[in-house]
Structure formats: structure tokens, C-alpha cells
Amino acid sequence: MDTITVDTPQGQVRGRTGAGITSFLGVPYAEAPFGARRFQAPSPPPMWDGVRDALELGATVPKVGYRPPTSEILSEPVVPGDDCLNVNVFTPDVGGSAPVFVWIHGGAFVNGSNAIPTYDGSAFARDGVVAVVINYRLGVDGFALIDGAPANRGMLDQVAALEWVRDHIASYGGDPARVTIAGESAGAMSVGTLMSMPSAEGLFQRAILQSGAGHHVITAETAAKVSAALASALGVEASVDGFGSVPVDALVDAQRELSDRITAEAPTGAWGELALNVMAFEPYIDGDVVPALPFSRISDGASAQVDVLIGTTSEEHAFFIVPAGLVPHLTEDYVKMVLAGYRADPSALEKYREQLPDASAGELMIAVMTDWFFRIPATRLVEARSGNAFVYEFTWRSSLFDGALGACHALEIPFVFDMLHKPETERITGPNPPQQVADRMHRAWVDFVRDGSPGWDPYGTDRAVMMFGNEPGVALDPRPATRAVWDGVR
């Protein structure tokens, strides 16, 4: 093993180097968020004497973990330890000044970490980009409304990580003036939120949003209701002292139980907006850290100067209902009920039927929920901007579940990272995913990070969308009829 040591503002850091790529793993951007620091804003970056090894993955934050069947599809490593607010850095040249790609993981704001194998940034470094993959606090620790604690601590962690990039990345060969933030699912929703946050202004110049945009936050009232229910279940106050008296593992268990209860009760209307948003622990509008709905702030001009690359997969929601075996049991009446719950006219189902004439009711459900949750918010974000914005759709279909998983949520990530060779990838792609799709997609991301253009025209009046699949190409205004269903609704 070859190592290299660099001088940084924190102290000396030893990384691993070879084949033109150097990695530094588990570098802390803030102190461990436990003890007196639990439920507080992230601290300044720690410093040390001597040389700190950055040769192994750092600790992951407390999280609930996935259950079957999701756990069979997605990797969710756990690395023990308290120093969980850390970053992994992959760089082509510690003496260079390369553009920087900062990855914010998904996981519904309750799972995920920078230890996931497909988040290896080596291919970005190979292609001349410094990749930084971050951790941030999740669930209760990151997003619960807690009396005496700053709001949206998970978002504050993300800002602290970006400030670390600004102040430290030059020591690793990165250019702090050329930073692209990127993420998928909750990570993309985080990117949309960061685009709206005053405290993040100026920390990045470009943004990539994969399957997430600017619509997914909840109100402070809903967040308070969730925290009150959690405190009641635990027999404590919804305060720093109350929740702080509960061991970390016990708090995570109680969080999981409450989320299950909310999911079960949400259709009754007992949990208001959570019936649609389904994530009990996510950013909430606190008027300060998150001043308003991110989409509204972006519509009003926030991050107007930021270049944007945004898109979805073709059948996002297949991920959530195909592995669970729900598709054969869904009826068109149920899909109409879902449309009504989304405040769309139930007759909109006819537009989806025209678009997908051979689809089952379950497949129509996938199309409707994909639009409401992912595609329409992405479309609205680019429609609201006059600046540089590019749109893509990932169309390649997984072979799993006899092909029914389709171009599902999270499927594009190993293609973006050019990590199809990782054994974990096959758990979502099936065997032999096409390298040529990864070549094209990864190259587009690298080009966007470097130059601000992924290689096709910006989204404008012709609504140009790059389709990444077996037959790549730009489609103009795909699915206009079902997009119109959501005008004035979503």
C-alpha cells in the first residue's frame, strides 16, 4: 500500500494513493455530535497534532437501517464510532486545483452514509474531478423539532461540510471556487433545500439533483406533532434534556416504531401532510435555517446563478411497490383514490391510460406516483428558473423481478459513479448492466462539474430531456398530456 501525507488546516492527514487516484477516508469536518454536543449545531472542524490516518472508512451516523425487501436491494453498511460527521475525499492530484463534486447521500433522511460501496468517488478522480462524499445526522438527531435545539441540524451539518470544502479542499487538490453539490432522493431534496438556504449561499456554483427537487419539506407544526408523539411514547419531554436522556439506540428504535405508526395511521388523516410526504423526519420550515418551501425560494430567485442538472428515472416508484409484491393487488379505483388524495382530478387516470395503453393498474400507479413525488417537482424547478438548467431521464431497466423493477428509483447511481463492477451493484441492476450507459452518464456528470454543460441543450421552450438508456438521445417534451394533469395542482 502506498500512502501520501498532506498538510491541511486541521493537521497532517495520511491517505492512500495508487493508479493516479488518492483517497482520504473518514476525515472529520466537525466534532462527534454526542454528549454535550448532541442535538446542537455542528462544531468547528477539529484539529490534531501529528499525522492522522485517513485510510479506512469513518463512522456512520445512527440510522434505522432498511428492512426486507429493501435491505436485499440497497447496501447499508454500519461503521461503529462517534466521529460520524466525516467526509471521504477522492482526488486526482493533491497538488492540483480540480473542480469539486460533493455527494449528499439519500435514504429518506433516516438512512444512508458515505460508506456505501457505490459512492466510491474513484472514477471522478480518475477523470479529473475531486469527489467529496459526506455524512450528516439523520432521523431524530438530524431533523426532529426539539425544544432548545437549533432547527434542521442535518441541514446545518451539510452546510458545515460545504464550509469544510471551502476552507480545506485546496489542501487535497480541489478548487473551492468550482464546487458542484449533488445528491439522489433525500440527497437531491437536500440539494434543493440548500439552494434555498441563506446560510449555504456562495458555497457552490452548480447543483445536480437526482430524483428530488424543492417540494419535500414539512411545516413546523407537523414536525412539532411528530416530536410530541415521539416524546410521549418515550415518556420524556420533547426537549434537548428529554431526548438526550434516551440512549441513542433506544431513540432510533422509538423513531422506527413511530414512523411505522404514522405510515399505518396516515390514510385516516391523523397526520395531515405526512399522508402524502410519508417522511416523518425531514427538513421542516423553521423560518431561519429553512426559511420557506425551497421551491418557493428558488422561484423567487434563490440560487439563480447556480447551474442545474436535474432528472428522474422512468419508473421511480417501482422501487417502492414492486419488491413488496403490491403491483398485482392494485386496482384502478385505488389509483383514482390516490389521484384524488393528490388533489388531481380522478379522470386524469384516462391520460395515463392513453400514455400506457397496456399497463396494469399497478403500473399506472407507478406512473402517477413517480410524477407526483419526483418528476413534476423536478419539472417545476426548471420551469421556475431563467438560468442554466439541464434535464435528463434514466430509462435503462433493471432485469430484477422479471423486469418489473424497471428504471426504478436509485438505479442510476452506480452508472453515475461508474461503479458497475462493484458486487453490490448487481443487487439493483441484475447481472451484466451495460457499461456503455455508465460511460455516457458518468461522462455527462464530469462534463457538467467541469464546464457547466453535460453535453445537450438546456431545458427551454422545447423541453429537451436527455434519455439515458440503451438508445440514448434527446426527447423533446416527453409525456405532455400527463404533465398537464398536474398544472395548478403540483
Side-chain angles (χ1 to χ4, degrees), residues 82-335:
D82 287 346
D83 278 326
C84 55
L85 298 184
N86 62 67
V87 299
N88 299 333
V89 181
F90 304 84
T91 181
D93 178 8
V94 295
S97 186
V100 182
F101 171 85
V102 179
W103 180 254
I104 304 169
H105 67 77
F109 297 103
V110 294
N111 280 314
S113 76
N114 61 11
I116 291 171
T118 44
Y119 299 166
D120 183 327
S122 295
F124 282 98
R126 176 198 69 203
D127 294 330
V129 170
V130 174
V132 180
V133 189
I134 75 169
N135 284 342
Y136 57 98
R137 280 174 285 181
L138 302 168
V140 177
D141 279 70
F143 295 99
L145 192 160
I146 300 175
D147 187 32
N152 291 297
R153 297 164 300 281
M155 297 308 305
L156 294 178
D157 291 347
Q158 294 178 19
V159 171
L162 291 173
E163 291 173 338
W164 182 93
V165 168
R166 178 194 64 199
D167 298 337
H168 297 248
I169 205 61
S171 300
Y172 299 86
D175 182 354
R178 290 190 293 163
V179 174
T180 299
I181 60 171
E184 186 269 348
S185 194
M189 295 168 192
S190 294
V191 170
T193 304
L194 288 164
M195 289 174 65
S196 77
M197 289 170 54
S199 60
E201 191 172 341
L203 294 175
F204 55 92
Q205 292 70 46
R206 297 184 178 123
I208 302 174
L209 304 91
Q210 300 170 210
S211 305
H215 281 64
H216 281 96
V217 296
I218 56 176
T219 63
E221 291 75 17
T222 297
K225 186 173 183 178
V226 170
S227 292
L230 183 66
S232 176
L234 288 164
V236 300
E237 296 293 321
S239 65
V240 168
D241 289 343
F243 286 134
S245 69
V246 181
V248 173
D249 289 347
L251 190 60
V252 170
D253 289 342
Q255 172 194 314
R256 181 190 293 110
E257 291 170 6
L258 177 60
S259 293
D260 289 346
R261 176 185 153 199
I262 290 171
T263 299
E265 295 176 358
T268 69
W271 295 92
E273 63 185 312
L274 293 183
L276 302 180
N277 236 28
V278 303
M279 294 181 289
F281 299 95
E282 63 180 314
Y284 62 91
I285 299 168
D286 64 279
D288 179 23
V289 178
V290 180
L293 180 71
F295 170 69
S296 298
R297 292 263 305 158
I298 293 166
S299 297
D300 290 341
S303 291
Q305 76 288 357
V306 172
D307 299 329
V308 169
L309 172 59
I310 189 170
T312 62
T313 68
S314 295
E315 292 112 10
E316 297 270 6
H317 239 80
F319 179 91
F320 302 100
I321 64 175
V322 168
L326 299 178
V327 171
H329 304 288
L330 297 172
T331 65
E332 290 203 6
D333 283 344
Y334 186 81
V335 181

Side-chain angles (χ1 to χ4, degrees), residues 7-65:
D7 291 320
T8 80
Q10 292 173 276
Q12 291 187 309
V13 185
R14 181 183 290 119
R16 191 187 311 268
T17 189
I21 299 165
T22 302
S23 63
F24 300 87
L25 306 179
V27 180
Y29 66 83
E31 301 279 4
F34 302 106
R37 295 191 185 90
R38 195 160 179 214
F39 308 125
Q40 299 306 311
S43 63
M47 300 178 68
W48 51 81
D49 296 323
V51 179
R52 182 186 180 105
D53 279 338
L55 306 174
E56 306 291 339
L57 291 167
T60 52
V61 306
K63 47 198 167 73
V64 295

